[in-house]
Amino acid sequence: MKRQEMIDLAKQIRSDEERPQVIPPHPPQATTTTPHVPTSVGDVRMLCHSPIDAAEPLPGFISFHGGGFISGTPEMDEPWNLFLAETANCHVLNVEYPLAPEHPFPVPVHVAYEVVQWIFQHADTLCLDASRIAIGGHSAGGNLATAVSLWNAEQTDPVPLIAQILDYPPLDLATDPADKPFFEEAIPAEQARQFNAMYIARAEDAYHHLASPLYAAQLDALPQTLVLTAEHDSLAQEARQYAKRLQAAGVAVEHQEFAGQAHAFTHHGDLDAALQAWHRIADYLKSVYRS
């Protein structure tokens, strides 16, 4: 597929985006502000969700939305990020990173890390406790979150991320999606190929550890990790493998698989299962903030 054809297809997919089909059963008691962060590709918008009447510095959760690297906005996660802000008593900062194919790998990773660095540099202004900031994301956002964690661990002066939360992330962009486990509810292999091709402009980059974190050689410096997988998701196998590799490297890992659920179930699945997953995330955040 030629570049312009990719761009046209991505725009069509974006125009068909849906808001989450499952939302919290009760309106969260939290507020939203919209700071803009200067980056190498221009200002990046960020939704900052905070508990109502938050006064003292609170811990933070930097989150990246899903969308196959080519679509999505922070608003996709807004109802549940407001839920997390209230339930975990933290600031949730959801980043609108640049999308492929206009911005293929490694641009989204680089920009995501620039935003993370900016957040730490401006923690006082954001009323954040810089010693208690976690990172995470859903689907493609989970890939970006752990790519940022990996790149951060390689720096001479890394920011002190205390945990990462990876929700049904794609972690192996090198393996043909048709060779991954098949489920009727899973992302169709041809669609997954299109998403990967739009994000990975050069075939050799599919094996780069910041594109496919499953291939990372060094994992021991990563923060404690929560991995959530869906049983009927073709991406679950690679996330399970990543969790096992993290454990083998000495990283504290918790993994929970949701039986009978498909990819993106936290946004478009059964409300009970979604609520269980979001409470799991909130409880994990509360736990790491206490420790």
Side-chain angles (χ1 to χ4, degrees), residues 8 53 104 106 122 164 205 277:
D8 291 344
D53 298 328
H122 295 82
Q164 57 176 356
D205 282 343

Side-chain angles (χ1 to χ4, degrees), residues 88-233:
N89 194 36
C90 66
H91 298 296
V92 181
L93 305 114
N94 200 337
V95 181
E96 188 171 46
Y97 53 88
L99 300 173
E102 295 91 336
H103 300 281
F105 175 84
V107 175
V109 178
H110 291 175
V111 172
Y113 191 49
E114 289 175 33
V115 174
V116 168
Q117 290 176 307
W118 184 91
I119 288 169
F120 275 91
Q121 292 163 1
H122 295 82
D124 288 345
T125 303
L126 296 167
C127 206
L128 279 168
D129 177 351
S131 69
R132 295 188 293 164
I133 297 179
I135 193 170
H138 312 279
S139 192
N143 174 294
L144 287 178
T146 200
V148 165
S149 292
L150 284 164
W151 201 22
N152 181 58
E154 297 169 4
Q155 306 304 308
T156 55
D157 186 23
V159 298
L161 293 167
I162 64 168
Q164 57 176 356
I165 299 175
L166 313 179
D167 188 19
Y168 44 78
L171 300 173
D172 177 5
L173 305 187
T175 298
D176 188 332
D179 294 332
K180 297 183 180 184
F182 172 78
F183 301 96
E184 289 289 346
E185 312 95 310
I187 301 168
E190 185 56 37
Q191 185 180 51
R193 283 196 196 104
Q194 290 175 340
F195 287 1
N196 291 352
M198 289 188 217
Y199 184 52
I200 304 296
R202 303 185 311 165
E204 60 268 30
D205 282 343
Y207 289 94
H208 195 288
H209 66 290
L210 299 185
S212 293
L214 186 61
Y215 296 96
Q218 298 292 326
L219 299 174
D220 56 294
L222 293 188
Q224 58 189 306
T225 303
L226 171 65
V227 178
L228 302 182
T229 53
E231 181 187 15
H232 294 172
D233 182 5

Side-chain angles (χ1 to χ4, degrees), residues 23-41:
I23 60 174
H26 305 291
Q29 297 300 300
T31 61
T32 302
T33 57
T34 313
H36 287 73
V37 180
T39 75
S40 56
V41 298

